[in-house]
Amino acid sequence: MPGPEASYLPYTTLFAHGPTRVRQFIDRTIGPVRHWDAERGTDLLATLHRFVDCNASPVRTARLMGVHSNTVLQRLDRITQLLGDTWRDSESFFRISVAVRLHTLSETLRGSSHPLRRP
């Protein structure tokens, strides 16, 4: 378990101007999902993003994605295996929500000269 200073990471990430810290936060928070997708050619991160957008409603997520709710539940089970049983707890889900949004922003800025762009 990370030290007490890690508890402040989401907040300092939001207000700091350190792109390296942003990337580290994203990697620490949703890295296992990103790695799973990269290794297997899947897109669990898209499901996670939609789940965050739908306020943690599997039914709304399924509707938004145009898939059956059981498909979303199976994907959420895989995400639980990757992120741990507590990822849906309020503090963890807050961090994941921030990481998903920051990841989306960094991917959007990837081709630009913005500091969040990956080298």
Side-chain angles (χ1 to χ4, degrees):
M1 189 87 195
E5 67 279 358
S7 299
Y8 294 99
L9 188 56
Y11 308 99
T12 58
T13 300
L14 289 173
F15 300 108
H17 297 287
T20 300
R21 300 269 320 238
V22 171
R23 286 191 297 272
Q24 288 172 346
F25 173 70
I26 292 168
D27 289 341
R28 287 182 188 145
T29 308
I30 59 172
V33 175
R34 293 177 59 222
H35 295 292
W36 178 272
D37 284 347
E39 290 173 1
R40 289 169 179 79
T42 57
D43 201 5
L44 284 178
L45 192 56
T47 301
L48 183 57
H49 188 134
R50 299 303 177 266
F51 188 68
V52 166
D53 285 347
C54 291
N55 297 313
S57 168
V59 172
R60 287 178 52 202
T61 302
R63 204 173 302 135
L64 179 67
M65 296 182 74
V67 298
H68 194 277
S69 57
N70 285 342
T71 301
V72 170
L73 292 174
Q74 289 171 354
R75 292 176 185 176
L76 294 175
D77 284 344
R78 175 64 65 193
I79 292 169
T80 298
Q81 291 174 3
L82 296 169
L83 299 181
D85 292 333
T86 61
W87 76 271
R88 289 168 125 179
D89 292 353
S90 62
E91 182 64 25
S92 294
F93 193 72
F94 164 74
R95 290 168 183 252
I96 288 166
S97 299
V98 171
V100 164
R101 294 180 195 292
L102 286 171
H103 177 265
T104 301
L105 176 62
S106 67
E107 289 299 305
T108 300
L109 299 172
R110 188 177 209 163
S112 73
S113 60
H114 192 280
L116 283 178
R117 180 183 60 80
R118 286 203 181 260

